[in-house]
């Protein structure tokens, strides 16, 4: 069984992430959305549990059954390669939007392979219509009251609206 881990902060999940996971599910038998519990980036807008909940809802609401049945959603703390070992994954999936992503992704792929030579990174080029999306900009737009409904799945839009209404 070919198992891949789709690791990320997913704070929040965007339509770009969903595009990547749908395409990865066409290649791998099982794709595990692996939500990093404590991202070192700016303070997360959603807790780990909220990020897991929106991803599970988004997969249920937007992915076709043949894709849905291949996807699991879990959180992890520590090294991505350790999590891969835990779930028996031989691959890490990452999305590439532009050349600007490439340098840091290449470095991460090499380092992950140095840490665990049995694990390979597979890149999917994010669909052109989502290539300008990033979680951090979606977060910023939402926090300043902008409309992000075309950029994120409904589960995220709902939670962002609740979150920003309470600020
Ligand atoms: O969505 P992001 O923030 O771009 O995802 C980055 C992520 C979670 C894939 C990366 O930070 C990561 O793998 N973190 C876990 C710790 C780890 O394994 N670090 C070494 C990477 S070479």
């Amino acid at each position: 069984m070919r198992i891949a881990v789709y690791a990320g902060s997913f704070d929040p999940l965007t339509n770009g992430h969903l595009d990547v996971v749908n395409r990865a599910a066409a290649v791998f038998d099982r794709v595990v959305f692996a939500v990093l519990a404590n991202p070192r980036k700016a303070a997360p807008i959603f807790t780990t549990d909220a990020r897991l909940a929106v991803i599970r809802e988004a997969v249920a609401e937007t992915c076709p059954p043949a894709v849905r049945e291949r996807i699991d959603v879990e959180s992890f703390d520590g090294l991505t390669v350790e999590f891969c070992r835990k779930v028996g994954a031989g691959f890490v999936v990452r999305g590439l939007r532009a050349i600007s992503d490439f340098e840091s992704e290449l470095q991460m792929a090499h380092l992950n392979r140095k840490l665990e030579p049995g694990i390979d990174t597979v890149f999917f080029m994010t669909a052109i219509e989502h290539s300008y999306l990033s979680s951090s900009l979606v977060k910023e737009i939402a926090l300043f009251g902008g409309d992000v409904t075309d950029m994120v799945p409904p589960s995220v839009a709902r939670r962002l609206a609740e979150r920003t209404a309470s600020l």
Side-chain angles (χ1 to χ4, degrees), residues 7-10 36 41 76 78-80 94 108 111-112:
S9 313
F10 306 112
L36 181 63
K41 291 181 175 173
F76 77 106
L79 292 175
T80 293
R94 295 284 290 168
M108 245 191 326
L111 279 169
N112 280 334

Side-chain angles (χ1 to χ4, degrees), residues 13 50-63 73 153-156 158-159:
L13 181 78
R51 281 180 279 145
L52 289 170
V54 292
I55 294 172
R56 290 194 178 113
E57 283 168 36
V59 169
E61 286 174 357
T62 69
C63 295
V73 184
S155 62
V156 175
R158 284 195 296 270
R159 283 244 183 19

